[in-house]
Amino acid sequence: MKPSPENVRLAKEIHARLDQLTAHTTPMVRAIRREFSRRIADAPSESVVQLALHLLDRNSDLLRFFSYELVNRHRPALERLTTDDLLKLGKGLNSWSSVDCFAMYLSGPLWARGGVPDRTIAAWARSKDRWWRRTALVSTVVLSRRGNPDDLRRVLQVCTLLAADGDDMVVKALSWALREIAKKHPEEARAFLEEHKHTLAARVVREVNNKLKTGLKTPGRTIR
């Protein structure tokens, strides 16, 4: 769908404001995003999604972060997203940062609200594209943080589909997903490690066990 003249104007203004920044730090970018969120607060949800898609015509992680937050912070737009909208917003995902923004701001919250069926997340987990497989796993984080038993079942199903995946980006995401489970359901996390001990990457086993034993992914590491 062709963007409206108003969305074309807003997108040009957003591009200009971001280009003027001396550095693209999260606080600086988010300050601009908050300003535009206020300006479009009363806009129809379809218009907000259209603006986000238009911004994504320039494929950059910075604009993905901005666009995904823009939709996330507009409640009607987030609640009315469809699976088709998600696929359009997720087109071209090609880095861990873009995937994680997409999953934490859009697909995860929408899945948690029942706006995305479990079969869609499972299809992503079976994708030949490493980034969609990572998206499936990172989407589980939103559910795990709620701590509901039914959410746990759904999360474990996704983790099981990717337990033997050897891609580094997927392995790291699986470790994250299981460490989130460990926070509220430690016994289930231990059981998963035991059940899949012959297929899980060593990194996953090590980091999840560290989380279970010490509360940290990498205990003893000095933070500077």
Side-chain angles (χ1 to χ4, degrees):
M1 182 182 295
K2 187 177 180 179
S4 67
E6 173 63 10
N7 276 340
V8 171
R9 186 188 66 78
L10 284 170
K12 287 182 178 179
E13 189 175 348
I14 290 168
H15 289 147
R17 293 286 299 281
L18 291 174
D19 288 343
Q20 289 169 2
L21 292 176
T22 56
H24 291 146
T25 65
T26 298
M28 294 171 74
V29 173
R30 187 165 277 153
I32 296 175
R33 195 276 305 159
R34 285 180 178 135
E35 175 190 334
F36 280 87
S37 284
R38 289 191 292 270
R39 289 170 59 176
I40 65 171
D42 296 326
S45 58
E46 296 84 357
S47 179
V48 175
V49 174
Q50 183 191 76
L51 173 59
L53 287 169
H54 186 50
L55 287 170
L56 293 178
D57 284 346
R58 293 189 188 182
N59 189 17
S60 77
D61 285 355
L62 173 64
L63 287 172
R64 284 187 184 276
F65 171 77
F66 195 100
S67 299
Y68 296 162
E69 271 212 349
L70 206 63
V71 175
N72 179 272
R73 296 302 190 270
H74 192 284
R75 184 177 291 273
L78 181 63
E79 291 180 346
R80 294 173 189 172
L81 276 182
T82 65
T83 300
D84 187 53
D85 291 329
L86 275 181
L87 293 175
K88 290 177 182 177
L89 288 163
K91 185 178 180 180
L93 290 173
N94 60 4
S95 69
W96 67 264
S97 58
S98 62
V99 164
D100 293 0
C101 281
F102 178 81
M104 295 301 292
Y105 291 153
L106 300 182
S107 59
L110 197 62
W111 185 28
R113 293 169 186 242
V116 179
D118 292 355
R119 65 177 179 275
T120 295
I121 305 298
W124 294 352
R126 296 186 180 99
S127 174
K128 293 181 180 180
D129 188 322
R130 69 191 303 204
W131 300 116
W132 281 108
R133 300 201 304 278
R134 182 179 175 96
T135 299
L137 284 166
V138 180
S139 297
T140 69
V141 172
V142 177
L143 275 69
S144 292
R145 289 179 178 175
R146 300 197 302 188
N148 298 336
D150 187 55
D151 288 341
L152 175 63
R153 175 189 59 78
R154 298 158 75 195
V155 167
L156 288 173
Q157 287 176 344
V158 175
C159 291
T160 298
L161 288 173
L162 291 163
D165 198 304
D167 186 285
D168 189 53
M169 286 292 103
V170 179
V171 167
K172 291 176 179 177
L174 180 59
S175 174
W176 183 9
L178 291 172
R179 282 182 279 115
E180 288 296 331
I181 292 174
K183 291 178 181 179
K184 295 186 178 181
H185 302 282
E187 291 307 315
E188 285 78 359
R190 290 190 183 92
F192 188 92
L193 292 182
E194 177 62 26
E195 181 180 355
H196 300 279
K197 61 184 178 182
H198 297 300
T199 56
L200 287 170
R203 178 190 190 123
V204 174
V205 176
R206 180 179 68 254
E207 291 180 350
V208 178
N209 271 323
N210 285 342
K211 186 70 175 180
L212 288 165
K213 294 174 182 176
T214 70
L216 300 172
K217 179 178 76 171
T218 311
R221 184 176 181 179
T222 300
I223 300 176
R224 297 182 180 180

